[in-house]
Amino acid sequence: MTETFSHIPASEIQTLVADFKNSHQIVLSNYFGVKESDVHEILVSAQTLLLRKKEHDFQRLFLLSSDEAELVALLKTHDDEDYVLNIPTKKGIGQWEQVLSEAGFTFLAQYDRYYNREIEYRESDIGTFATEEEADEILGLLYVDDFSIYTDYLPTKEELMEMIKAERVLVNKEDGHVLGVLIFTLEGKKCYLNIWIDRSKNGLYLLFDVYNIMVEKGVSLAYFWVRSDNKKIIKLHKLTGAVPDGLSDYSFIKQAKR
């Protein structure tokens, strides 16, 4: 049994996870794959596999376990850092709640996934692609009370610069200042809306701008996550034809003992 986390290349994770699944009857898992560029650490016990990835000043945690009692015991022993755990599911989190509560985790938020197939061209001349010089101002807009580093996957400055270079960042400006930001990702015939915030009265036009880009590029499907209690944004998305697909993401946090 490995008592502490150790570094592991991303290229080896899929094999280890597959072997673990083949040799155990998994009862709890929030593992849904990793990116080759991510840096992970691993801890393997008799009945549990834990993966963690450093983000900002906390660890995002992924796990597979065939024994709830052992999982709770393992999670209890790691209290030197903040841990955030996400559970994407269409079935609810009944089985998770007691385990995470016993292990010292508390609920953060629920996000629901929506999709939109009713993509059409709409008149808009609000948004422009962000420039590298605007990166700090954009970050200043993102890192506010509306968003959380734990639940919203906010980019670092280096990541944002790469997004800007790839023309994935639209901004809405007034009097030379950035008031709105929409970050998106195009993948084949799909568009993922990653982050959307606007402090002006014309925020909806940024959404129109990205939908116009989709029309121009022949992309017909948009996906995005919305916090379940953000009724205003949900209403705006529904007005443009968006509907939920049934998948929700539940976030929990365990804060370090300080």
Side-chain angles (χ1 to χ4, degrees):
M1 176 175 175
T2 304
E3 298 292 340
T4 59
F5 283 91
S6 57
H7 286 282
I8 180 172
S11 58
E12 296 180 15
I13 292 176
Q14 290 185 346
T15 300
L16 281 171
V17 169
D19 290 344
F20 192 87
K21 286 181 176 179
N22 289 334
S23 58
H24 296 78
Q25 187 171 353
I26 305 300
V27 295
L28 285 173
S29 171
N30 74 327
Y31 174 82
F32 48 87
V34 297
K35 296 179 181 178
E36 287 294 324
S37 58
D38 289 339
V39 178
H40 289 83
E41 292 182 308
I42 192 169
L43 185 156
V44 182
S45 67
Q47 303 295 329
T48 303
L49 184 154
L50 301 180
L51 284 169
R52 70 182 188 184
K53 180 181 68 168
K54 190 74 171 182
E55 294 184 14
H56 300 285
D57 59 354
F58 68 93
Q59 298 280 359
R60 197 171 297 278
L61 186 66
F62 307 91
L63 63 88
L64 302 95
S65 181
S66 58
D67 188 285
E68 291 185 8
E70 184 193 81
L71 174 60
V72 170
L74 273 175
L75 294 177
K76 281 183 175 180
T77 63
H78 294 278
D79 54 14
D80 56 329
E81 297 189 67
D82 292 345
Y83 282 88
V84 174
L85 186 147
N86 298 85
I87 307 166
T89 178
K90 291 186 176 182
K91 301 179 180 179
I93 54 171
Q95 189 177 3
W96 285 92
E97 290 184 291
Q98 183 174 350
V99 168
L100 294 178
S101 177
E102 290 180 9
F105 283 79
T106 57
F107 177 73
L108 276 175
Q110 175 186 339
Y111 280 69
D112 301 318
R113 192 170 69 175
Y114 285 72
Y115 69 92
N116 194 341
R117 293 185 182 276
E118 298 182 22
I119 308 302
E120 59 184 68
Y121 195 90
R122 301 171 185 265
E123 290 299 323
S124 173
D125 57 359
I126 294 294
T128 59
F129 285 113
T131 65
E132 295 178 42
E133 290 73 23
E134 293 167 336
D136 288 333
E137 194 172 7
I138 292 170
L139 290 173
L141 193 61
L142 297 183
Y143 283 79
V144 292
D145 292 340
D146 298 71
F147 293 118
S148 165
I149 59 173
Y150 303 125
T151 59
D152 291 298
Y153 299 91
L154 297 178
T156 63
K157 184 172 183 178
E158 292 73 19
E159 290 170 335
L160 179 61
M161 293 290 277
E162 291 302 313
M163 295 173 180
I164 290 173
K165 292 176 183 177
E167 294 192 331
R168 290 178 47 199
V169 184
L170 289 170
V171 292
N172 172 19
K173 295 188 291 185
E174 290 183 11
D175 299 324
H177 296 289
V178 176
L179 295 184
V181 179
L182 196 156
I183 300 175
F184 65 97
T185 304
L186 294 174
E187 292 184 6
K189 294 296 183 180
K190 298 178 182 178
C191 178
Y192 296 91
L193 309 182
N194 306 118
I195 297 175
W196 179 28
I197 184 173
D198 203 294
R199 297 297 189 194
S200 75
K201 296 180 180 179
N202 300 307
L204 188 58
Y205 285 98
L206 276 182
L207 186 62
F208 292 167
D209 284 328
V210 76
Y211 283 171
N212 290 346
I213 291 172
M214 290 175 61
V215 171
E216 291 169 358
K217 294 184 177 295
V219 177
S220 56
L221 177 61
Y223 272 109
F224 50 89
W225 294 88
V226 182
R227 187 167 173 138
S228 60
D229 57 3
N230 196 337
K231 305 303 182 184
K232 179 180 178 180
I233 296 299
I234 291 173
K235 182 179 180 179
L236 289 176
H237 278 301
K238 285 185 174 180
L239 285 173
T240 68
V243 294
D245 73 350
L247 182 64
S248 294
D249 183 75
Y250 302 84
S251 301
F252 291 80
I253 188 171
K254 179 182 180 180
Q255 295 183 306
K257 290 183 178 180
R258 295 180 173 89

